[in-house]
Amino acid sequence: KILVIGAGGQIGSELVLLLEEKFGKEAVLASDIKEECPKALKNSNYVALDVLDNDKLSSIVKEENITDVYLLAALLSATAEKDPKFAWKLNMEGLFNVLDLAKDGHIKKVFWPSSIAVFGPTTPKRNTPQHTIMEPSTVYGISKQAGEQWCAWYHEKYGVDVRSIRYPGLISHTSLPGGGTTDYAVDIFYHAKQNAEYTCFVNEETALPMMYMDDAVRATVELMEAPASKIKIRNSYNLGGISFTPEDLKEEIKNQIPDFKVNYKPDFRQQIADSWPESINDESAQKDWGWKHEYDLKKIVNIMLNNVDTKLLFDK
Ligand code: VAH
């Protein structure tokens, strides 16, 4: 049975649906910190779980015969900068709680999300290699870099089968923009659809690696379903999709909403974005487990403009 921790988040809600499609509803248990089940998961098996509550985590894993855990609970980059101590606690202690259950044989396989945020200002920015300089300058990136190396250590020392992906910025329409720096690329669609104007918190020429959520969750399941013998990277796989600037995104949206306007007002998130790569080399993922992304910018803009529900953002 599969436990998804942090299932109410941007990745979690879509990952649960894909896992249910693939393995059946009864094979998936969604969990998040909120007592009441998040709307996006109303048709799923749900249990309230704070990943920092080790006793509850351990009893759920044992009582529900959990074999696979997807640990998605974390603070993202912008939120983490505002609350560094809690970000470290949640991102790291949550990981240790799960890795220790795996070390003790209660969990067979673990997925843990890393991010292109593990790269910093001294990392080569274009076509960033799998193995390169990593001096992250954000709280979130520091926690993800440390977490990656702990995953590799638990694999090396105890044979824990933990697998990880360095996600680029992710774009989806089933959850509202959250505390991510790349979330401008989600937010923009709600504003484009509502009043054809958006104030963007990163400047127009800031290129960042991005990916549509369907590609990201498919990659996640493909990685987890690959034979262990194919997994050569045990800290975390680079995953590249596309790369675009807010200007590129604006131009593509204007193909559908001709009078769409963007004002650029960079805030603290500009420094975060400036520390990250522009594009990612994911040859290792292609070679080891056959990764190939499908969604280009045109397809993403089409889907997002047709699916974002502006009521979610403007009527709450
Ligand atoms: C963030 N969406 O912005 C996340 C992600 C690469 C960006 O880690 O924090």
Side-chain angles (χ1 to χ4, degrees):
K1 197 166 188 181
I2 300 165
L3 174 64
V4 180
I5 303 172
Q10 184 192 26
I11 299 172
S13 34
E14 307 231 18
L15 180 63
V16 165
L17 299 181
L18 180 61
L19 290 168
E20 288 174 344
E21 212 178 286
K22 224 171 152 68
F23 302 107
K25 234 190 248 307
E26 287 322 301
V28 184
L29 179 56
S31 71
D32 205 295
I33 193 158
K34 298 177 270 291
E35 273 311 314
E36 74 285 349
C37 176
K39 263 195 310 306
L41 298 168
K42 63 184 182 306
N43 301 322
S44 303
N45 299 315
Y46 181 81
V47 64
L49 169 65
D50 175 349
V51 70
L52 297 179
D53 178 346
N54 207 14
D55 293 341
K56 180 151 189 195
L57 169 64
S58 170
S59 59
I60 288 175
V61 165
K62 291 167 188 165
E63 285 155 26
E64 297 283 346
N65 298 316
I66 298 298
T67 53
D68 296 26
V69 170
Y70 289 77
L71 170 53
L72 304 175
L75 288 201
L76 292 183
S77 58
T79 318
E81 283 309 297
K82 294 179 197 156
D83 192 349
K85 289 290 185 312
F86 181 60
W88 180 259
K89 183 177 174 61
L90 172 60
N91 294 6
M92 304 315 293
E93 276 181 37
L95 176 59
F96 284 125
N97 287 350
V98 172
L99 288 177
D100 284 335
L101 279 168
K103 168 174 77 80
D104 297 339
H106 302 297
I107 298 171
K108 252 173 58 316
K109 234 185 314 184
V110 176
F111 176 77
W112 185 72
S114 183
S115 159
I116 55 130
V118 294
F119 299 118
T122 52
T123 304
K125 279 205 174 297
R126 288 201 181 78
N127 202 28
T128 300
Q130 175 69 46
H131 303 291
T132 185
I133 300 161
M134 294 162 67
E135 296 174 327
S137 53
T138 63
V139 170
Y140 175 70
I142 293 164
S143 78
K144 288 299 180 182
Q145 183 186 29
E148 288 188 2
Q149 295 315 117
W150 277 114
C151 290
W153 191 85
Y154 269 77
H155 175 72
E156 198 50 45
K157 287 284 174 304
Y158 305 120
V160 169
D161 187 358
V162 49
R163 306 178 188 196
S164 179
I165 279 174
R166 290 170 183 158
Y167 289 123
L170 300 182
I171 299 170
S172 63
H173 55 79
T174 54
S175 62
L176 289 175
T181 300
T182 57
D183 285 337
Y184 87 83
V186 177
D187 210 11
I188 194 168
F189 290 102
Y190 289 87
H191 290 82
K193 211 166 165 179
Q194 178 79 358
N195 54 13
E197 180 152 9
Y198 180 57
T199 301
C200 187
F201 54 75
V202 291
N203 58 39
E204 60 268 38
E205 72 274 355
T206 306
L208 286 169
M210 297 278 192
M211 178 175 282
Y212 186 57
M213 183 59 77
D214 288 16
D215 269 341
V217 291
R218 174 172 59 85
T220 306
V221 177
E222 283 177 10
L223 171 64
M224 285 293 270
E225 291 308 299
S229 59
K230 288 189 181 265
I231 311 300
K232 308 279 187 283
I233 306 259
R234 287 290 180 169
N235 49 358
S236 190
Y237 276 96
N238 276 10
L239 198 72
I242 57 178
S243 168
F244 58 75
T245 65
E247 193 66 15
D248 300 328
L249 184 51
K250 181 194 79 172
E251 287 310 315
E252 194 55 49
I253 291 174
K254 281 178 70 153
N255 289 340
Q256 304 217 14
I257 306 175
D259 56 354
F260 178 49
K261 272 197 306 303
V262 180
N263 325 298
Y264 295 97
K265 276 179 74 179
D267 66 13
F268 75 101
R269 289 167 284 194
Q270 183 63 48
Q271 283 70 35
I272 295 176
D274 287 341
S275 74
W276 290 346
E278 294 183 12
S279 59
I280 298 291
N281 178 313
D282 60 8
E283 277 161 17
S284 297
Q286 293 174 37
K287 199 164 49 64
D288 295 357
W289 44 279
W291 169 244
K292 193 175 166 323
H293 80 274
E294 281 166 23
Y295 289 82
D296 63 11
L297 186 55
K298 204 174 198 56
K299 273 170 89 173
I300 294 173
V301 168
N302 251 317
I303 292 178
M304 289 298 283
L305 286 178
N306 291 328
N307 286 279
V308 291
D309 173 2
T310 52
K311 281 196 304 300
L312 284 177
L313 195 64
F314 296 100
D315 296 356
K316 65 181 176 187

